[in-house]
Amino acid sequence: MPANRPFRPMPHALAAAALALLSTGSQAQTAAPAPAGQLQTITVTAERRLENIRDVPSSVSALQGEILEVLNSGGQDIRLLAARVPSLNIESSFGRAFPRFYIRGIGNTDFDLNASQPVSLVYDDVVQENPILKGFPIFDMERIEVLRGPQGTLFGRNSPAGVVKFESAKPSTKAFEGYALASIGRYSALNFEGAVNVPLSPTLALRVAAQSQNRDDWVSNGNSRGPTRELEGYNDNAARLQMLFSPNKDFSALLNVHTRDLKGSARVFRANIIQPGTNNLAPGFDETKVFQDGINSQKVSNTGGSLRVRWDLGNGMALNSITGYETVDSLSRGDIDGGFGAGFLGAGNFGPGFIPFDAESADGLPKHKQFTQEVRVESTGKGALQWLAGVYYFDEQLKIDSFNYSSIGGNVQNGYATQDQDNKAYAIFGSVNLDVSPQLKLRGGLRYTKDEKDFFADRIQAPPFSPTFIGRRTASTSATNTSGDFSATYALDKDTNVYARVATGFRAPSIQGRLLFGDTLSVAKSEKVTSYEAGVKADLFNKRARAAFSVFSYTLKDQQLTAVGGAANFNQLINAAKSTGQGFELDLQALVTDNLMLTMGGSYNKTKIRDGGLAVAPCGGGCTVTDPTVVRNGTTLALIDGNPLPQAPETTLNFTARYTMPVAGGDFFVLTDVAYRSKINFFLYESREFTGKALTEVGLRAGYSFGAGKYEATAFVRNLTNQIRVVGGIDFNNLTGFINEPRTFGVSFKANF
């Protein structure tokens, strides 16, 4: 530092950005600056009200600001959030579409396009139920919130594991402003994100935001007869328009219209990439090569809108109305066996490794629409008693087309089936907050839900290897449930709170029926969870540090599980009599010096299936099953009692460090982020091969901010160590797997105006 330039602390704007880098046991923070040398006070909306994070009696995390730019810099999709907050995992066998979420080990590996998930995703206050909707891109975000544990009281629609909640930046009548961010990187990646806020009048404002993520193919097909020669590229474009009308402080209406268009590669499956008897990559594995004879393609088109109205009725009450509509059209096609040819063609006519038979399929969503309506009334006074009450309606209709192809003989269609589902749900809910004393606060809530599904499936064309039945199968479900939560918060002093919470949750019955491979529908009855949690939240060292720690235990009754694949390649729903989980979560953040911010988060989750008689079909691709087996009706099955839940790492850790140094009228900064998750089990049964190794991904970002923070130039690298792991598998044919993203790097420039 020049001798004539005095040391100056990190600007508040940069400190706030660093504060948001990790799961912080919090949600959103307000823009109010903190006193010099202190962390900002964080206010949250986990209970549908704005309040200090210390007062929220549950385990909550947030991502916002710079960290979202950091994670997005490599052009990744929503899966980038995996392990970035405690107890969260996200994976997909569809690539950039259809993410599958897991919180505290609870999730669903089902790959059907009507799959229900126990983690609810809420985007701008609208539930996104269909798994394709859950993949909407992340851009121009105010914050991303992760609420762990059952959230069914205030956030309905299948949330026994928790909620991932997205809040986009809102229009403002205060000033014309915006930003533009562009980056280029490896594999000819070209990414753009920008937004502009336009005050149209003192009562009307417009905000338009857009994102475009583009990458060339980087995987080449070594099979000269394969119709798809290059893979793993994409063009993913999304936009959002919002208009805010607020004629006075008592009324506001926010209109949101958004759209997405994705074209590119589907998930790339790789035949026999796992070394038999181990979970190592096969010798000589090259992530840039495949040998396939099938077609790989993916497209998604999504359009939706919402209207959020808030009206202060006076007399200490306010009315909130949230109306949402979504529609999505998708088609994803891939070479499921991951190789070429088939064993019956003779030696030299298949590979890599042994391919028993050819498998190529496509799933499409040609018809989908979702309508939701929530109306709630809440108290607005500042007394000891606060309350809210509301009603909720959900209506979804969809149609699924499933195709089977044979790459042998010119990629001909040899199987076609359809599924239709109509799902309606109704709910009434309410909650009460009571300040018993300045130290003790109690909260409680209840929700009554009725859920109805009508389902039918038709096999239009039977594949040669399936039964010859061509016709319709139907099923209907109807279920009711009352769930709720109760919690208490006690202030040990002005900076430290302890809390305890008990909550129940519910997932409605599910129906599946892929008639391409069988004539039977599977129905899973309602899933119910009871969760206990206790924790402490504290500001430390005169608010230079913050900590949150929680312990939890839950029991799932009749957990809905999906027996995916196996030798028969079925996708069958089952119920486990009971599943359990327990563990802890930790969030720390510290402003070590005015120029150095450190954050750390972690979780431990021990999950177990408890059902002595539950058995599923094990792999049909030569894996080494380690579970005990039983023969039923002439079929060998694996007993899964005592196994962990699939895609549920016991341990996750994340860490960030950001150092800022004043240089030449601006600020030079270096930021590193690390995300770790321990090994995972891909399926319900356990085997040596289909167990994913631990994964550590490291990111590094260095840049220079100048022009009073208006401009920023950076260089970045994602997956710095290029650690490649098998993160999922296909188990019915051979040792097929798919991998995480390789190392990417590039440069970016951001301008604020």
Side-chain angles (χ1 to χ4, degrees), residues 374-506:
E374 178 179 308
V375 178
R376 71 177 188 270
V377 180
E378 62 187 24
S379 61
T380 59
K382 296 183 179 180
L385 179 66
Q386 301 289 322
W387 56 268
L388 68 81
V391 294
Y392 179 78
Y393 174 71
F394 172 88
D395 185 357
E396 181 189 52
Q397 299 172 28
L398 60 85
K399 179 180 180 180
I400 303 169
D401 286 342
S402 297
F403 303 90
N404 188 74
Y405 297 92
S406 173
S407 299
I408 300 168
N411 278 285
V412 296
Q413 179 180 313
N414 66 357
Y416 170 42
T418 67
Q419 304 174 58
D420 287 76
Q421 180 173 287
D422 187 356
N423 184 192
K424 290 182 173 62
Y426 318 82
I428 182 170
F429 60 93
S431 70
V432 174
N433 298 2
L434 177 63
D435 295 350
V436 178
S437 71
Q439 291 78 34
L440 179 62
K441 299 179 181 180
L442 304 179
R443 307 186 184 202
L446 289 173
R447 188 184 195 98
Y448 173 82
T449 301
K450 182 175 182 178
D451 190 282
E452 299 173 333
K453 284 190 179 76
D454 293 311
F455 179 94
F456 67 85
D458 288 287
R459 183 190 301 146
I460 310 302
Q461 177 188 356
F465 52 82
S466 291
T468 58
F469 170 82
I470 298 177
R472 172 168 293 192
R473 290 288 186 265
T474 64
S476 296
T477 63
S478 180
T480 60
N481 175 261
T482 300
S483 58
D485 66 281
F486 177 79
S487 60
T489 303
Y490 187 81
L492 298 178
D493 56 44
K494 65 182 181 64
D495 293 322
T496 308
N497 284 347
V498 294
Y499 72 89
R501 180 179 188 253
V502 57
T504 60
F506 159 77

Side-chain angles (χ1 to χ4, degrees), residues 47 51 55-59 443 487-489 499-501 533 537:
E47 302 278 329
E51 56 188 331
D55 299 330
V56 178
S58 62
S59 184
R443 307 186 184 202
S487 60
T489 303
Y499 72 89
R501 180 179 188 253
E533 179 181 322
K537 301 181 181 183

Side-chain angles (χ1 to χ4, degrees), residues 221 223 226 231 268-270 290-294 296 335 338-340:
N221 189 356
N223 178 22
L231 308 96
V268 177
F269 303 112
R270 302 162 184 262
V290 296
F291 298 86
Q292 298 183 352
D293 55 8
N296 182 293
D335 191 328
F340 66 92

Side-chain angles (χ1 to χ4, degrees), residues 92 184 211 281 391 480 668 696:
S92 174
I184 57 174
Q211 182 189 74
L281 286 165
V391 294
T480 60
F668 172 77
T696 303

Side-chain angles (χ1 to χ4, degrees), residues 603-621:
S603 61
Y604 175 79
N605 289 268
K606 184 68 173 180
T607 65
K608 187 172 289 189
I609 299 169
R610 298 182 180 274
D611 190 327
L614 191 59
V616 300
C619 61

